[in-house]
Structure formats: structure tokens, C-alpha cells
Amino acid sequence: MSDLRSEIKREIESGEYNCEKELTLSIISGKWKIIIIYYLGTEGVLRFSEINRLLPKISHKVLTTQIRELEEDGVVHRKVFAEVPSKVEYSLTTLGESLIPIVLMMDEWGKKNIKHFPVAKNR
Amino acid sequence: MSDLRSEIKREIESGEYNCEKELTLSIISGKWKIIIIYYLGTEGVLRFSEINRLLPKISHKVLTTQIRELEEDGVVHRKVFAEVPSKVEYSLTTLGESLIPIVLMMDEWGKKNIKHFPVAKNR
DNA sequence: CTGGATCCTCTAGGATACTG
DNA sequence: CAGTATCCTAGAGGATCCAG
């Protein structure tokens, strides 16, 4: 098993998880998820292309799956407009908003402690 | 790329990370890491076998690597006693302790919200 | 008791091209 | 614009055996 989501999800569904922290971890662990949650939390509502612009390095398909999983987990709300060209807006659900404090703490912790880790100086 | 640690570590070393939250995520994302941090945080000092007893489902080798990585990241301290049979004690470093609030928030969030997720009833 | 060495499986994340 | 379909690869987590 490589990443955490699928495996922990399986454990949770079978009732064999080790502790509830795992649930939280399974939701936020994904290459881009905390950043997406963060942006939706601070910007409010974002279109697919807007998120993509905020995260230039993410590929199309990966952004789709990351958002889909967040949606499945009830963290993100997806609103489709019946227009051409298509328009889709994403926002946090109440559940998603309740994750913001955790994301902010992780942000603060990272900013405070990144100096302990090897980083290229050119930043 | 499968799991987050190696990839985000690479990004951080090259100075190409997206944001500092990623650093935090890269440290705690691992199948057993938050649980290990949690136990070390609440129990204080634990021997290898004691952690293993607390986490019966983890395999020997995996426990070793999870702890090694936490050690590399400066989160866990490893104290070896020159005895036979060998004895090794693990504890949190100051950096590790500073992660406790995050782990606790994740624990609370999970406990509070697990009801929104499909769980086997027999718990 | 602690933990290294091997071997294996599974899938997340990425690249790219196509579509309504 | 938003999203799906294919194909690929690196590595995490696991099982098992060996060793100081």
C-alpha cells in the first residue's frame, strides 16, 4: 500500500482503525489537499481554473482527483453551472471549514520550523 | 511518486516547495507516525518493544523505518543502552513536542467527525 | 531485544492526449 | 472550461528471515 487514504479508508470502513487521528490524516494527506483546503478557506469560492492557476505545478488530472476525493470526504462542495463553456465552483463545506484550524497550525508550524531543515538558500 | 515524505523532502531541499504546510505534512504523514508521536507525547519514554506492544498490527521493519524517519526529521530522540539484550529508549525532542498540539487537534477532529464517515458498527 | 536485508504488491501522483 | 482515459514509475508499507 502506498498512500494513506485508501488504506486508512479501508480500515475505517472495516472498523479496524487504530485511532481517530488516522481519519483526519487520511483526509488531509494528499500532495495538494491541505493547500487546496487552505485556498478555499481563505479565498472562499474558487473555480477549477482558478485553483489551477494558484497551483501551477499540479497537473490537470491530479487536481481533478484531489478535489474529487475531498468532495467524497465531504470537505469540499462542488457547484456546476449549466453554461458553455462549463463553469464549476468549489467551496468548503462546514466539515471542510472545521479543518481550517488544523491547516493553519500546520502552516505556522512549518513556517516556524523550516529553518531546522535543509533548504536551498535561494528563497 | 507515491508517498509524500520523500517527494516533499526533495522539493524542500531544492527550495521548490509550494508552502510550509507541506513540511509539516511530510513529517507527520506516514501510516503510524502520528500515533507514535502521540504515544511518546503522552507516555514520555518508550522502548522499541513497548511501542510495538501498543501497535500490535505494525510489523517490525515498518516500525523501525517509521521511527528512523522521525529521528531523521529531528522529532524523536533515540537513546541506546549498551546492554545485552539490547535496550533502546525513544522520546520526543523539543521539536517533536511542538507537534503535539497538532496531533491532539487531529485526534479531536477525528473523534468528533468520524460519525460522518462509513464505519463498521461493531465498535 | 533491536533492527538490518530481501522481496513483493499496490497505488498516488504525474504526463499527455482527447472530449462535450 | 472542466474533466476523462491511458500509460507509467517510484516508493511506502508489509512479510519473513537473519544477526549482534
Side-chain angles (χ1 to χ4, degrees):
Chain A
M1 342 267 125
S2 85
D3 231 325
L4 294 158
R5 199 182 110 101
S6 50
E7 190 177 353
I8 295 184
K9 281 274 140 58
R10 254 195 309 274
E11 290 181 354
I12 288 174
E13 279 164 25
S14 69
E16 289 176 350
Y17 55 93
N18 300 290
C19 65
E20 290 88 351
K21 313 173 209 39
E22 287 192 309
L23 171 67
T24 318
L25 183 64
S26 75
I27 292 173
I28 65 175
S29 97
K31 181 79 195 313
W32 308 90
K33 292 187 183 175
I34 43 173
I35 314 188
I36 294 173
I37 293 172
Y38 177 82
Y39 277 133
L40 288 177
T42 52
E43 310 276 330
V45 179
L46 289 172
R47 298 183 56 173
F48 186 90
S49 50
E50 291 174 322
I51 302 178
N52 208 160
R53 215 166 300 134
L54 290 166
L55 304 172
K57 284 186 270 184
I58 197 172
S59 90
H60 229 121
K61 178 218 148 197
V62 173
L63 178 53
T64 308
T65 56
Q66 296 276 304
I67 296 181
R68 278 288 170 287
E69 290 179 357
L70 289 172
E71 201 191 342
E72 272 176 41
D73 290 340
V75 166
V76 161
H77 177 68
R78 180 161 173 267
K79 184 173 180 185
V80 185
F81 293 81
E83 300 178 7
V84 177
S86 23
K87 176 176 170 182
V88 180
E89 282 183 352
Y90 293 98
S91 55
L92 290 184
T93 60
T94 311
L95 190 66
E97 283 169 6
S98 69
L99 280 170
I100 293 290
I102 295 178
V103 174
L104 290 180
M105 278 196 87
M106 290 178 64
D107 198 33
E108 283 168 32
W109 194 94
K111 287 196 167 89
K112 188 171 173 190
N113 296 293
I114 200 158
K115 59 173 181 290
H116 301 311
F117 295 84
V119 190
K121 303 134 209 159
N122 52 328
R123 277 186 74 92
Chain B
M1 341 273 126
S2 82
D3 230 322
L4 296 158
R5 198 182 111 102
S6 50
E7 191 177 354
I8 295 183
K9 281 272 140 60
R10 254 195 308 276
E11 290 181 354
I12 288 175
E13 279 164 24
S14 69
E16 288 176 350
Y17 55 91
N18 299 290
C19 67
E20 291 87 352
K21 314 173 208 37
E22 287 192 310
L23 171 67
T24 318
L25 184 62
S26 75
I27 292 174
I28 64 174
S29 95
K31 181 78 195 311
W32 308 90
K33 291 186 183 175
I34 43 173
I35 314 188
I36 294 173
I37 293 172
Y38 177 82
Y39 276 134
L40 288 177
T42 51
E43 310 276 329
V45 180
L46 290 172
R47 299 183 55 173
F48 185 90
S49 50
E50 290 174 324
I51 302 178
N52 209 161
R53 216 165 301 135
L54 289 165
L55 304 172
K57 283 187 270 184
I58 197 174
S59 91
H60 232 124
K61 179 217 149 197
V62 174
L63 177 54
T64 307
T65 58
Q66 296 277 303
I67 296 181
R68 278 290 168 286
E69 291 180 356
L70 289 172
E71 202 191 341
E72 273 176 41
D73 290 340
V75 166
V76 161
H77 177 68
R78 180 160 172 267
K79 184 172 180 186
V80 184
F81 292 82
E83 299 178 6
V84 175
S86 22
K87 175 177 170 182
V88 180
E89 283 184 352
Y90 293 99
S91 55
L92 291 183
T93 60
T94 311
L95 190 67
E97 282 168 7
S98 69
L99 281 170
I100 293 290
I102 296 178
V103 174
L104 289 180
M105 279 195 85
M106 290 179 65
D107 198 33
E108 283 168 31
W109 194 94
K111 288 196 167 90
K112 188 172 172 189
N113 295 293
I114 200 159
K115 60 175 180 289
H116 300 312
F117 296 84
V119 190
K121 302 136 210 158
N122 51 329
R123 277 187 74 91

